[in-house]
Amino acid sequence: MYGTKSKIDLAFEYQSQVAVLRPSIHSRRANLTVKFQDLYGFTVEGNVDDVNVLNEVREKVRQQGRVWWALEASKGANWYLQTTIGQGSALTSSLKFSAMANAITLKKLIRKGIPPVLRPKIWFSLSGAAKKKSTVPDSYYDDLTKAVEGKVTPATRQIDHDLPRTFPGHPWLDTPEGHAALRRVLVAYSFRDSDVGYCQGLNYVAALLLLVMKTEEDAFWMLAVLLENVLVNDCYTNNLSGCHVEQRVFKDLLSKKCPRIATHLEALEFDVSLVTTEWFLCLFSKSLPSETALRVWDVIFYEGAKVIFNVALAIFKMKENELVLTHHVGEVINILQMTTHHLFDPDDLLTVAFDKIGSMTTNTISKQRKKQEPEVMKELDQRIRRLNSLRMEDK
Amino acid sequence: MATIGHNNLNAKLVGPSSLFSISFCFFFLSQSFSIPMMFSPCSFHQVLLGDMGAGKSSLVLRFVKGQFLEFQESTIGAAFFSQTLAVNDATVKFEIWDTAGQERYHSLAPMYYRGAAAAIIVYDITSSDSFTRAKKWVQELQKQGNPNMVMALAGNKADLEDKRKVTAEEARVYAEENGLFFMETSAKTASNVNDIFYEIAKRLPRAQPAQNPAGMVLVDRPAEGTRAASCCS
């Protein structure tokens, strides 16, 4: 896909993609709500200030693009793949140093955002999707989609039900062609991993992957690497146990990182999972503007699932002063939803996520998960037993 | 006018406020009309439960915003809405949790129905499976929900008469036997949507009397096309 285009072609294609938004003269005069399409075809509603923020963001994206092109020119097209340090002693110290330097540069660059045109290629390489795909025959995806064509399962029925309900109104996703592509990806994955099958939420994730990756097959492998390598196990399986674990870990982290908020929300008897469950299951694809969500995904695919915690904590942190003044559950939800829907500047969010929240290693999160897992399993088990006893009584 | 259901019912929608604080509405109106509105509605936590695709989100959207979308985005986890009703001499504010219907989300449900004062269990009249699922929800709420919970059974998609699989009689008998009240609704045509919420409001513990003059409509629901003109839209 990329081999046929020169860097200059890509650069031009990229420049033309990042359009400047121009609200009408009337909306510029008054602080009215304006509607416009973002880079990925979603209709965004905001006021003129939001449009100005988006234009500034797009200018930053253009500048970032130039940095990436310059690095490609000086270090070679796939320089970002030379970031792992091998175990062999044969590796010279200068090579080790250059790999380490590349890794540091790459981490910084990715946090500042991957240019939209480079996203498919970089995600595919850095996430491990390319490696995963290379372990099976080239025809794997085609064979799988052909093999499952026409098969009806509970998962396929649910997928069919959700196709028109996935980003309705989107100019491509909400067309017969878009529905068919999304269906093939979701059905194929439901057969690849029958433990997951189909879980609502994956429709939004897969849809956004399709928009970014451009090809169904690449979107399929990105979905596979996400569920099998990046995210916690059992996040989407039949009782969402992994999701329950993540929610408990998040509550724990909120108490540690944002104690004022946690204490206040506890006093209101507000369980943050009421809001954050959707963030974790849809990876912010339903709550953040798409361009912001994808900036978060840039980092997730390189640094892992810990990033979801950083970002979720950052959303609370950004509104700390407002949240601690709330008196009702409704107010809390309003603040969080208004915040997420209008987070048009990804840098604002990611700066808080990585600079103000403080570092969290994957190791720390893993330890927390291990601590919470037995408790969650015990609770879910008790719940199943209670429900079964209800049904026995009924008979 | 925003009267709910039949004209003889003295119930009015105070303000569509999904995801927005209604306080601005009252401030705006009291400024405009110089009417003091020292007013604190009774808040009630309500939950909607039911099978995937039964029309839970469509019911809430019709009630709160007066809208119907042919394809409503699938709910992940749950969605929150609020709406205020004036019922006779009292004001009731519903804080509504609209839950995800897929079976695997069942494990999240207690988080939403814990402490709920009311529940609407929704099924689709064209799907007997969804009615079976509704019965399971009723059973669970009876055993594990708030003992004083007001429960309603809604047979949704009543406009699809030609595809009906669950008779109204069967559902009515089941509801009576289990202490629920029952209505067939259509989010699409708006039939009985406001009525079911009004019936719940009537059955809840007595709300505080509204401070505004009796019978005054705080916010009329504008016609579909003029929605944006409302201060709370």
Side-chain angles (χ1 to χ4, degrees), chain A residues 19 21-24 27 32-55 57-58 167-171 208 211 285-294 337-346, chain B residues 73:
Chain A
L21 300 166
R22 292 187 181 84
S24 73
S27 58
L32 299 174
T33 298
V34 287
K35 280 188 179 185
F36 45 89
Q37 269 199 359
D38 71 11
L39 217 53
Y40 290 91
F42 293 97
T43 300
V44 180
E45 275 191 39
N47 57 29
V48 180
D49 292 339
D50 295 328
V51 174
N52 291 336
V53 167
L54 263 167
N55 280 329
V57 167
R58 288 182 180 187
F167 299 124
H170 186 277
L208 211 42
L211 291 177
S285 60
K286 262 194 96 184
S287 36
L288 292 175
S290 71
E291 295 180 53
T292 306
L294 293 174
Q337 293 203 330
M338 291 294 284
T339 304
T340 52
H341 291 163
H342 290 88
L343 258 172
F344 292 114
D345 190 343
Chain B
E73 282 199 353

Side-chain angles (χ1 to χ4, degrees), chain A residues 158 161-162 164-165 167-168 195-196 198-201 203-204 236-240 244 271 273-274 277-278 281-282 286 328-330 333-334 337-338 380 383 386-387 390-391 393-394, chain B residues 17-21 43 52-54 71-78 80 93 95 97 100-114 133 136-137 139-140 143-144 157:
Chain A
Q158 290 174 347
H161 184 76
D162 272 351
R165 308 199 305 160
F167 299 124
D195 286 342
V196 170
Y198 170 67
C199 178
Q200 284 188 312
N203 50 329
Y204 296 105
Y236 298 94
T237 48
N238 68 356
N239 61 1
L240 305 181
H244 285 276
D271 183 344
S273 306
L274 295 169
T277 299
E278 186 205 89
L281 287 172
C282 296
K286 262 194 96 184
H328 303 289
V329 168
I333 293 159
N334 291 342
Q337 293 203 330
M338 291 294 284
L380 289 172
R383 184 171 155 65
R386 269 202 309 271
L387 289 172
L390 283 183
R391 277 157 206 171
E393 277 173 40
D394 203 44
Chain B
S17 54
S18 156
L19 314 179
F20 286 92
S21 165
S43 285
M52 177 179 172
F71 294 109
Q72 172 70 41
E73 282 199 353
S74 43
T75 308
I76 309 303
F80 177 85
K93 181 180 179 184
E95 294 191 328
W97 284 103
Q102 195 182 20
E103 177 64 46
R104 67 186 70 194
Y105 281 87
H106 192 157
S107 64
L108 296 174
M111 192 161 73
Y112 302 104
Y113 68 62
R114 196 177 291 126
R133 184 89 181 82
K136 286 179 184 170
W137 279 120
Q139 192 184 32
E140 183 172 338
K143 296 278 168 35
Q144 291 177 208
K157 307 193 187 180

Side-chain angles (χ1 to χ4, degrees), chain B residues 16-35:
Chain B
S17 54
S18 156
L19 314 179
F20 286 92
S21 165
I22 58 169
S23 55
F24 171 71
C25 238
F26 300 127
F27 172 77
F28 172 84
L29 285 163
S30 59
Q31 298 308 304
S32 306
F33 307 118
S34 308
I35 297 166

Side-chain angles (χ1 to χ4, degrees), chain A residues 139-193:
Chain A
S139 59
Y140 178 92
Y141 178 72
D142 285 338
D143 294 345
L144 183 56
T145 50
K146 282 191 188 100
V148 303
E149 210 174 332
K151 287 194 176 170
V152 178
T153 65
T156 63
R157 278 195 290 271
Q158 290 174 347
I159 289 165
D160 287 334
H161 184 76
D162 272 351
L163 292 173
R165 308 199 305 160
T166 306
F167 299 124
H170 186 277
W172 181 75
L173 288 168
D174 199 7
T175 63
E177 186 194 351
H179 289 173
L182 182 57
R183 185 184 197 278
R184 281 189 293 270
V185 171
L186 290 170
V187 169
Y189 194 80
S190 77
F191 279 90
R192 175 181 167 88
D193 186 345

